[in-house]
């Protein structure tokens, strides 16, 4: 059953990837390019989890899992730059300043660097079975602080969009990401958090579309 859900997530992220590419063609920007990259990474992520039991336990699946971690580490903080670009589309004067641009770049680079150093370096992967799926996870306790901070930053932007542009959906997507990410993995594996990623990315893509056509 869980395999079917992960296949569904991969399909949904494929649709988000197509949407981001279409938006990039019609209204190019860093936000659409980043969303396409993140969606591609999440297509891969969910597809590998869904196919894990057929790939089988061993070095091949462990190697594929390392790419899952790397794409997450690179993709998640890049959403800060995407959020800044959406703020530009929404017409916020502060977003047009060089300070806002360099702050977004600095935060993104810092969070990627922290994650590469604290999580990706020295990954200790072990196989995990859940609901008929097989995946490799890092057995060290290493909370995903950069992902949490990225989501909180975008939640702040979402609140701003809601209050000043009457657009609540980025706020809703960030809340969904935080809530699903807080559900213990021991109960539902990564089913909940991966579902939250679908909602979060969809809310960002919808925000880009809304403010580029507003």
């Amino acid at each position: 059953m869980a395999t079917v859900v992960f296949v569904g997530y991969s399909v949904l992220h494929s649709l988000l990837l197509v949407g981001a590419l279409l938006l990039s063609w019609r209204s190019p920007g860093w936000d659409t390019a980043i969303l396409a990259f993140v969606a591609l990474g999440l297509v891969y992520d969910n597809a590998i989890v869904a196919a894990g039991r057929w790939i089988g336990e061993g070095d091949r699946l462990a190697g594929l899992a390392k790419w899952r971690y790397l794409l997450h580490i690179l993709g998640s903080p890049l959403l800060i730059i995407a959020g800044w670009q959406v703020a530009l589309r929404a017409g916020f004067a502060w977003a047009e300043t060089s300070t806002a641009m360099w702050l977004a770049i600095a935060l993104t680079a810092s969070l990627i660097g922290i994650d590469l150093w604290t999580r990706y370096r020295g990954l200790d992967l072990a196989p995990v079975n859940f609901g008929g799926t097989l995946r490799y996870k890092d057995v060290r306790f290493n909370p995903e602080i950069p992902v949490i901070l990225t989501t909180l930053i975008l939640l702040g932007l979402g609140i701003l969009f809601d209050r000043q542009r009457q657009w609540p959906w980025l706020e809703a997507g960030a809340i969904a990401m935080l809530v699903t990410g807080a559900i213990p993995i021991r109960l539902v594996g990564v089913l909940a958090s991966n579902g939250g990623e679908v909602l979060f990315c969809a809310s960002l893509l919808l925000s880009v579309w809304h403010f580029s056509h507003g």
Side-chain angles (χ1 to χ4, degrees):
M1 179 60 184
T3 299
V4 175
V5 176
F6 285 113
V7 170
Y9 289 162
S10 190
V11 170
L12 290 172
H13 282 297
S14 296
L15 295 176
L16 292 174
L17 172 59
V18 171
L21 291 174
L22 289 174
L23 267 177
S24 184
W25 177 61
R26 294 179 179 179
S27 184
W30 281 107
D31 46 10
T32 53
I34 287 169
L35 286 172
F37 173 74
V38 171
L40 181 62
L42 291 172
V43 169
Y44 174 85
D45 178 47
N46 288 283
I48 293 302
V49 175
R53 65 175 179 171
W54 288 286
I55 297 171
E57 188 175 321
D59 291 342
R60 180 183 299 178
L61 186 57
L64 294 171
K66 289 182 179 179
W67 282 101
R68 287 179 51 231
Y69 275 90
L70 183 59
L71 289 170
H72 262 287
I73 287 168
L74 295 176
S76 295
L78 283 171
L79 294 176
I80 295 173
I81 294 178
W84 162 65
Q85 285 273 291
V86 178
L88 278 175
R89 293 182 188 271
F92 286 101
W94 58 263
E96 300 175 5
T97 65
S98 59
T99 299
M101 179 187 71
W102 286 111
L103 181 60
I105 292 172
L107 283 171
T108 298
S110 297
L111 292 179
I112 290 174
I114 289 170
D115 237 3
L116 287 172
W117 182 258
T118 61
R119 293 185 63 220
Y120 194 70
R121 185 178 65 95
L123 276 176
D124 186 9
L125 298 175
V128 174
N129 290 278
F130 181 84
T133 65
L134 172 66
R135 63 186 175 88
Y136 273 79
K137 66 166 289 185
D138 188 357
V139 297
R140 300 171 301 171
F141 176 73
N142 206 338
E144 300 182 18
I145 300 301
V147 173
I148 296 170
L149 289 177
T150 296
T151 308
L152 289 174
I153 289 169
L154 288 169
L155 174 60
L157 281 175
I159 292 171
L160 194 63
F161 291 164
D162 186 15
R163 303 298 184 270
Q164 298 191 17
R165 295 294 185 270
Q166 291 71 56
W167 181 254
W169 298 112
L170 180 56
E171 179 183 2
I175 291 172
M177 182 70 182
L178 290 171
V179 170
T180 56
I183 297 174
I185 290 179
R186 68 178 183 276
L187 298 179
V188 294
V190 293
L191 280 171
S193 59
N194 284 28
E197 289 173 342
V198 174
L199 297 174
F200 188 35
C201 290
S203 71
L204 264 167
L205 186 63
L206 192 60
S207 297
V208 174
W209 177 85
H210 174 75
F211 289 117
S212 62
H213 291 78

